[in-house]
């Protein structure tokens, strides 16, 4: 069960964020907010292969929610429940989608975006290449750090040294990114990227029963706050 999220197609994963966004507009009371967040947490506990990444996303989303709670309480009057509901609404809006983005494969996303959504093939291929380059930034950063440590230029514990090291590392990462972009553009031109009209794709964009079940679950979770709101809870 905990590997299902890695097997569904990327459009289903994107739909989690889309339907949680739609459902967040119906989070108007504390019971609705608690039920919705509880169901998303339960789904994460059942279907996600790890809790470390979801908790990291929860921490960032929680920080945004806390700022909303504070600003609502300060500017909208000392109504604690209204402020808490506003913060939980942001949590419903941001947390599920941010978690699902981490499990999306850029290559599979391009296959499904072009074949299922019928998006322009050239734009989809360019977007997929950009996502793949972006996902490699962390590995490039680690490689640069290992190289600098091997050469004896690692930063010390002094804050000024840490700032200088971060700046030089960022510049080196920018140089590597520009080199990678040049290599990608040359490879795409060599494959007729600019002039091609009809493209083939690496894998067929099929929808299995697992994909349809995942989409149904996504729609159900997004509809929960709407149903509760219409029921007057």
């Amino acid at each position: 069960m905990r590997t299902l999220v890695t097997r569904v197609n990327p459009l289903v994963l994107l739909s989690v964020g889309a339907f949680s966004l739609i459902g967040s507009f119906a989070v108007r009371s504390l019971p609705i907010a608690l039920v919705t967040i509880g169901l998303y947490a339960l789904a994460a506990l059942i279907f996600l292969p790890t809790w470390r990444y979801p908790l990291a996303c929860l921490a960032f989303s929680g920080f945004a929610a806390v700022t909303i709670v504070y600003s609502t309480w300060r500017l909208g009057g000392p109504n604690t429940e209204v402020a808490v509901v506003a913060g939980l609404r942001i949590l419903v809006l941001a947390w599920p989608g941010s978690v699902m983005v981490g499990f999306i494969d850029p290559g599979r996303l391009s296959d499904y975006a072009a074949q299922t959504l019928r998006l322009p093939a050239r734009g989809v291929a360019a977007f997929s290449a950009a996502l793949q380059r972006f996902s490699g930034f962390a590995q490039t950063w680690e490689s640069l750090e290992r190289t600098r440590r091997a050469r004896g230029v690692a930063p010390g514990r002094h804050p000024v040294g840490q700032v200088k090291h971060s700046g030089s590392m960022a510049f080196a990462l920018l140089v590597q990114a520009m080199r990678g972009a040049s290599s990608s553009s040359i490879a795409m031109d060599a494959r007729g990227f600019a002039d091609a009209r009809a493209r083939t794709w690496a894998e067929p964009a099929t929808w299995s029963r697992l994909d349809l079940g995942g989409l149904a679950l996504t729609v159900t979770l997004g509809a929960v706050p709407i149903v509760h709101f219409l029921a007057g809870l």
Side-chain angles (χ1 to χ4, degrees):
M1 291 290 287
R2 303 194 69 178
T3 61
L4 294 180
V5 71
T6 61
R7 292 157 50 193
V8 297
N9 77 60
L11 295 183
V12 175
L13 300 181
L14 286 179
S15 69
V16 174
F19 284 106
S20 68
L21 169 64
I22 296 173
S24 66
F25 291 103
V27 178
R28 300 296 180 89
S29 66
L30 192 58
I32 296 177
L34 294 177
V35 168
T36 304
I37 293 176
L39 289 176
Y40 274 113
L42 179 61
L45 182 63
I46 296 174
F47 297 111
L48 295 184
T50 178
W51 260 97
R52 181 174 300 177
Y53 174 69
L55 286 178
C57 294
L58 180 61
F60 285 105
S61 302
F63 176 77
V66 169
T67 60
I68 294 297
V69 170
Y70 178 75
S71 61
T72 303
W73 184 80
R74 288 282 295 179
L75 301 177
N79 192 326
T80 305
E81 183 176 349
V82 172
V84 171
V85 169
L88 294 178
R89 184 183 304 121
I90 295 299
L91 205 61
V92 173
L93 184 152
W95 184 45
S98 64
V99 172
M100 290 298 103
V101 167
F103 295 97
I104 293 177
D105 179 15
R108 293 188 68 202
L109 177 60
S110 63
D111 291 333
Y112 279 87
Q115 298 178 63
T116 302
L117 301 181
R118 303 297 181 181
L119 297 180
R122 183 174 180 179
V124 168
F127 182 68
S128 175
L131 284 181
Q132 290 174 354
R133 295 298 307 174
F134 183 79
S135 62
F137 281 168
Q139 297 178 356
T140 304
W141 184 280
E142 293 178 359
S143 299
L144 290 172
E145 279 208 336
R146 286 196 299 266
T147 302
R148 292 189 171 222
R149 292 182 185 277
R151 294 176 179 176
V153 292
R157 296 183 178 181
H158 198 276
V160 176
Q162 291 284 348
V163 171
K164 289 182 178 179
H165 174 73
S166 299
S168 61
M169 285 286 291
F171 180 75
L173 185 63
L174 175 62
V175 172
Q176 291 290 336
M178 294 180 66
R179 289 176 179 175
S182 299
S183 300
S184 298
S185 63
I186 293 173
M188 288 180 175
D189 286 340
R191 290 171 172 81
F193 178 79
D195 300 325
R197 293 295 179 266
R199 298 184 179 277
T200 57
W201 299 96
E203 298 179 1
T206 58
W207 284 73
S208 64
R209 293 182 178 179
L210 178 62
D211 297 327
L212 297 176
L215 184 61
L217 177 61
T218 298
V219 174
T220 301
L221 290 175
V224 165
I226 298 176
V227 172
H228 279 72
F229 175 72
L230 295 178
L233 296 180

